[in-house]
PDB file of all heavy atoms in Angstrom:
ATOM      1  N   VAL C 409       9.750  34.204   1.479  1.00 79.00           N
ATOM      2  CA  VAL C 409      10.413  33.335   2.448  1.00 79.00           C
ATOM      3  C   VAL C 409      10.658  34.070   3.763  1.00 79.00           C
ATOM      4  O   VAL C 409      10.507  33.508   4.846  1.00 79.00           O
ATOM      5  CB  VAL C 409      11.733  32.790   1.858  1.00 79.00           C
ATOM      6  CG1 VAL C 409      12.577  32.112   2.922  1.00 79.00           C
ATOM      7  CG2 VAL C 409      11.428  31.834   0.724  1.00 79.00           C
ATOM      8  N   GLU C 410      11.008  35.371   3.645  1.00 82.00           N
ATOM      9  CA  GLU C 410      11.278  36.134   4.871  1.00 82.00           C
ATOM     10  C   GLU C 410      10.017  36.371   5.693  1.00 82.00           C
ATOM     11  O   GLU C 410      10.054  36.415   6.915  1.00 82.00           O
ATOM     12  CB  GLU C 410      11.897  37.500   4.508  1.00 82.00           C
ATOM     13  CG  GLU C 410      13.401  37.451   4.362  1.00 82.00           C
ATOM     14  CD  GLU C 410      13.908  38.729   3.713  1.00 82.00           C
ATOM     15  OE1 GLU C 410      13.198  39.761   3.756  1.00 82.00           O
ATOM     16  OE2 GLU C 410      15.016  38.687   3.146  1.00 82.00           O
ATOM     17  N   SER C 411       8.897  36.549   4.990  1.00 86.00           N
ATOM     18  CA  SER C 411       7.688  36.981   5.707  1.00 86.00           C
ATOM     19  C   SER C 411       6.784  35.823   6.114  1.00 86.00           C
ATOM     20  O   SER C 411       5.903  35.981   6.947  1.00 86.00           O
ATOM     21  CB  SER C 411       6.893  37.957   4.832  1.00 86.00           C
ATOM     22  OG  SER C 411       6.460  37.287   3.657  1.00 86.00           O
ATOM     23  N   VAL C 412       7.018  34.616   5.527  1.00 82.00           N
ATOM     24  CA  VAL C 412       6.016  33.566   5.651  1.00 82.00           C
ATOM     25  C   VAL C 412       5.805  33.119   7.098  1.00 82.00           C
ATOM     26  O   VAL C 412       4.667  32.889   7.534  1.00 82.00           O
ATOM     27  CB  VAL C 412       6.349  32.362   4.732  1.00 82.00           C
ATOM     28  CG1 VAL C 412       7.609  31.660   5.176  1.00 82.00           C
ATOM     29  CG2 VAL C 412       5.196  31.385   4.687  1.00 82.00           C
ATOM     30  N   GLN C 413       6.893  33.037   7.865  1.00 78.00           N
ATOM     31  CA  GLN C 413       6.715  32.516   9.224  1.00 78.00           C
ATOM     32  C   GLN C 413       6.059  33.521  10.145  1.00 78.00           C
ATOM     33  O   GLN C 413       5.190  33.178  10.948  1.00 78.00           O
ATOM     34  CB  GLN C 413       8.046  32.030   9.769  1.00 78.00           C
ATOM     35  CG  GLN C 413       8.496  30.770   9.024  1.00 78.00           C
ATOM     36  CD  GLN C 413       9.655  30.095   9.700  1.00 78.00           C
ATOM     37  OE1 GLN C 413      10.461  30.737  10.355  1.00 78.00           O
ATOM     38  NE2 GLN C 413       9.731  28.785   9.546  1.00 78.00           N
ATOM     39  N   GLY C 414       6.481  34.796   9.993  1.00 83.00           N
ATOM     40  CA  GLY C 414       5.815  35.842  10.764  1.00 83.00           C
ATOM     41  C   GLY C 414       4.330  35.904  10.439  1.00 83.00           C
ATOM     42  O   GLY C 414       3.480  35.995  11.333  1.00 83.00           O
ATOM     43  N   ALA C 415       4.029  35.813   9.151  1.00 85.00           N
ATOM     44  CA  ALA C 415       2.624  35.882   8.729  1.00 85.00           C
ATOM     45  C   ALA C 415       1.818  34.708   9.282  1.00 85.00           C
ATOM     46  O   ALA C 415       0.683  34.886   9.737  1.00 85.00           O
ATOM     47  CB  ALA C 415       2.545  35.896   7.204  1.00 85.00           C
ATOM     48  N   ALA C 416       2.439  33.523   9.258  1.00 82.00           N
ATOM     49  CA  ALA C 416       1.743  32.340   9.774  1.00 82.00           C
ATOM     50  C   ALA C 416       1.340  32.575  11.226  1.00 82.00           C
ATOM     51  O   ALA C 416       0.199  32.322  11.628  1.00 82.00           O
ATOM     52  CB  ALA C 416       2.637  31.116   9.660  1.00 82.00           C
ATOM     53  N   LEU C 417       2.296  33.078  12.015  1.00 82.00           N
ATOM     54  CA  LEU C 417       2.010  33.370  13.423  1.00 82.00           C
ATOM     55  C   LEU C 417       0.860  34.349  13.551  1.00 82.00           C
ATOM     56  O   LEU C 417      -0.095  34.116  14.301  1.00 82.00           O
ATOM     57  CB  LEU C 417       3.253  33.954  14.098  1.00 82.00           C
ATOM     58  CG  LEU C 417       4.167  32.957  14.814  1.00 82.00           C
ATOM     59  CD1 LEU C 417       5.316  33.680  15.476  1.00 82.00           C
ATOM     60  CD2 LEU C 417       3.349  32.164  15.847  1.00 82.00           C
ATOM     61  N   GLU C 418       0.944  35.455  12.803  1.00 85.00           N
ATOM     62  CA  GLU C 418      -0.071  36.498  12.916  1.00 85.00           C
ATOM     63  C   GLU C 418      -1.440  36.027  12.438  1.00 85.00           C
ATOM     64  O   GLU C 418      -2.472  36.442  12.956  1.00 85.00           O
ATOM     65  CB  GLU C 418       0.364  37.739  12.122  1.00 85.00           C
ATOM     66  CG  GLU C 418       1.540  38.474  12.778  1.00 85.00           C
ATOM     67  CD  GLU C 418       2.072  39.607  11.912  1.00 85.00           C
ATOM     68  OE1 GLU C 418       1.297  40.138  11.084  1.00 85.00           O
ATOM     69  OE2 GLU C 418       3.254  39.964  12.051  1.00 85.00           O
ATOM     70  N   LEU C 419      -1.457  35.154  11.433  1.00 84.00           N
ATOM     71  CA  LEU C 419      -2.738  34.660  10.902  1.00 84.00           C
ATOM     72  C   LEU C 419      -3.263  33.465  11.690  1.00 84.00           C
ATOM     73  O   LEU C 419      -4.327  32.925  11.386  1.00 84.00           O
ATOM     74  CB  LEU C 419      -2.587  34.264   9.429  1.00 84.00           C
ATOM     75  CG  LEU C 419      -2.339  35.409   8.449  1.00 84.00           C
ATOM     76  CD1 LEU C 419      -1.957  34.867   7.086  1.00 84.00           C
ATOM     77  CD2 LEU C 419      -3.578  36.300   8.349  1.00 84.00           C
ATOM     78  N   GLY C 420      -2.496  33.006  12.684  1.00 82.00           N
ATOM     79  CA  GLY C 420      -2.949  31.874  13.492  1.00 82.00           C
ATOM     80  C   GLY C 420      -2.887  30.557  12.753  1.00 82.00           C
ATOM     81  O   GLY C 420      -3.595  29.608  13.096  1.00 82.00           O
ATOM     82  N   MET C 421      -2.054  30.483  11.699  1.00 82.00           N
ATOM     83  CA  MET C 421      -1.898  29.219  10.995  1.00 82.00           C
ATOM     84  C   MET C 421      -0.609  28.553  11.461  1.00 82.00           C
ATOM     85  O   MET C 421       0.384  29.221  11.758  1.00 82.00           O
ATOM     86  CB  MET C 421      -1.829  29.449   9.482  1.00 82.00           C
ATOM     87  CG  MET C 421      -3.137  29.959   8.905  1.00 82.00           C
ATOM     88  SD  MET C 421      -3.120  29.995   7.106  1.00 82.00           S
ATOM     89  CE  MET C 421      -2.150  31.471   6.807  1.00 82.00           C
ATOM     90  N   THR C 422      -0.609  27.217  11.525  1.00 79.00           N
ATOM     91  CA  THR C 422       0.617  26.527  11.898  1.00 79.00           C
ATOM     92  C   THR C 422       1.616  26.624  10.739  1.00 79.00           C
ATOM     93  O   THR C 422       1.233  26.666   9.573  1.00 79.00           O
ATOM     94  CB  THR C 422       0.345  25.038  12.168  1.00 79.00           C
ATOM     95  OG1 THR C 422      -0.201  24.449  10.987  1.00 79.00           O
ATOM     96  CG2 THR C 422      -0.635  24.853  13.305  1.00 79.00           C
TER      97      THR C 422
END
Side-chain angles (χ1 to χ4, degrees):
Chain C
V409 169
E410 273 168 21
S411 63
V412 66
Q413 291 192 331
L417 266 182
E418 289 173 25
L419 292 170
M421 293 188 283
T422 59

